[in-house]
Amino acid sequence: MKNIRFIIVFFLIVSSVNAQTTVLKDKGSWLTFTNNFKLSNKFSLSNVTQLRTVDFIQNNQALVIQPGVSYKLNKNVSIGAGYLSYTYYPEGAAHAPIKKYENRIWENLIVNSTLGNLKLNQRFVFEQRFKDVIVQNIDNEYCIDGNSYSQRFRYRLEVTTNLVKLKNNKNIFGKLSNEIRIRFQTGLTEPDFDQNNFAALIGYQLLENSKIWVGYGRYYYKSNATKFISNDILHVTLSYDFDFTKKHS
């Protein structure tokens, strides 16, 4: 119980960082669909599709599509790389004036471990980001004029446990997740806190290879040097995985 209390207190402290600087409030939902395709005992393909909305589900804020490939070094450690497409819509507390796009290349390292009945997942991600630059032309109309480049480091700690075993032998899961993101202006210089994402989720095993997660998230985003956006989020995530190493009769 001491370990559980420590982890809960850690997540609450981290999720409250920079709360005093928040000046803009937002509410939204993140609707996510994930797939994992196990090709062998070492290699897997994956894809994440996520629709982010504001005013909960009334207006689209962003669309994320993230395919990737991973290689398992051992039973607890894997590395991966991939691409991410991010579409920004002009909605939300600090939205861009017009729709814009971002393309990312990412690399990650994932380390799994256990602590009693808890499963710990640590994810380290390094991103190279190419973002559209919005300018005003001579007619004072907004348009895209080239793109900017930056890099970002992300660290996520996820803690998962079985909460309840049901009569149908399926489980109710609990998950706490917190991710910090640090942006670099030039190369690996001028590190700057970018975002903090916290989530508390309840999961249910729909099928042997499928789960659904529902819960609450708090997302802090640095809009500029003095302003943060605080976004209360409804999370709904559906996963459906495929294992091509199993023989089907």
Side-chain angles (χ1 to χ4, degrees):
M1 288 299 296
K2 289 183 178 179
N3 290 330
I4 296 175
R5 287 197 296 267
F6 170 78
I7 291 172
I8 292 174
V9 169
F10 167 79
F11 276 112
L12 292 176
I13 292 173
V14 173
S15 66
S16 65
V17 172
N18 295 300
Q20 70 274 15
T21 64
T22 302
V23 295
L24 298 175
K25 299 287 186 178
D26 219 339
K27 294 181 179 180
S29 60
W30 291 6
L31 311 175
T32 309
F33 183 57
T34 69
N35 297 113
N36 188 72
F37 306 88
K38 185 177 180 181
L39 304 180
S40 70
N41 291 331
K42 293 290 187 180
F43 282 100
S44 295
L45 300 177
S46 64
N47 186 64
V48 177
T49 302
Q50 184 179 78
L51 178 65
R52 300 182 181 183
T53 72
V54 290
D55 303 318
F56 284 111
I57 58 174
Q58 294 186 37
N59 299 298
N60 294 340
Q61 185 180 42
L63 176 64
V64 179
I65 300 174
Q66 181 180 337
V69 59
S70 66
Y71 178 78
K72 183 176 283 190
L73 298 176
N74 56 51
K75 67 177 183 177
N76 293 322
V77 180
S78 64
I79 56 176
Y83 165 77
L84 186 146
S85 170
Y86 197 115
T87 304
Y88 297 82
Y89 295 95
E91 300 288 347
H95 60 79
I98 59 174
K99 184 167 72 172
K100 67 176 184 176
Y101 300 92
E102 176 180 341
N103 297 287
R104 301 179 195 168
I105 305 298
W106 55 267
E107 305 82 35
N108 69 19
L109 168 69
I110 295 176
V111 180
N112 295 303
S113 58
T114 59
L115 180 64
N117 294 325
L118 304 177
K119 294 180 180 180
L120 308 182
N121 175 283
Q122 297 182 78
R123 186 181 71 180
F124 306 82
V125 182
F126 191 62
E127 297 177 316
Q128 298 82 53
R129 309 173 66 192
F130 303 86
K131 299 180 288 184
D132 284 348
V133 175
I134 298 176
V135 298
Q136 282 183 289
N137 59 25
I138 57 175
D139 298 321
N140 290 324
E141 296 177 339
Y142 291 101
C143 62
I144 304 297
D145 183 18
N147 58 63
S148 64
Y149 173 75
S150 64
Q151 299 180 84
R152 186 167 65 182
F153 172 75
R154 299 164 57 168
Y155 170 72
R156 185 192 70 187
L157 173 60
E158 226 172 47
V159 181
T160 307
T161 189
N162 292 344
L163 295 179
V164 180
K165 190 174 184 64
L166 303 177
K167 292 182 178 180
N168 60 2
N169 290 323
K170 293 185 179 180
N171 295 302
I172 299 293
F173 305 96
K175 179 189 294 185
L176 292 175
S177 174
N178 197 83
E179 182 178 62
I180 60 172
R181 306 184 185 188
I182 299 174
R183 180 176 55 218
F184 298 94
Q185 296 297 332
T186 305
L188 295 178
T189 64
E190 302 179 57
D192 189 17
F193 174 81
D194 186 38
Q195 297 178 28
N196 188 87
N197 293 355
F198 170 80
L201 308 171
I202 298 294
Y204 177 70
Q205 185 177 347
L206 296 173
L207 301 170
E208 182 182 358
N209 58 344
S210 179
K211 292 178 183 176
I212 186 169
W213 295 91
V214 179
Y216 166 78
R218 167 78 47 105
Y219 157 49
Y220 286 105
Y221 171 75
K222 188 173 184 180
S223 177
N224 58 42
T226 59
K227 293 183 180 180
F228 274 75
I229 299 169
S230 172
N231 195 349
D232 292 311
I233 300 166
L234 169 66
H235 279 280
V236 180
T237 300
L238 176 65
S239 66
Y240 197 92
D241 300 331
F242 301 86
D243 189 347
F244 294 106
T245 66
K246 292 182 177 180
K247 295 182 179 180
H248 301 281
S249 57

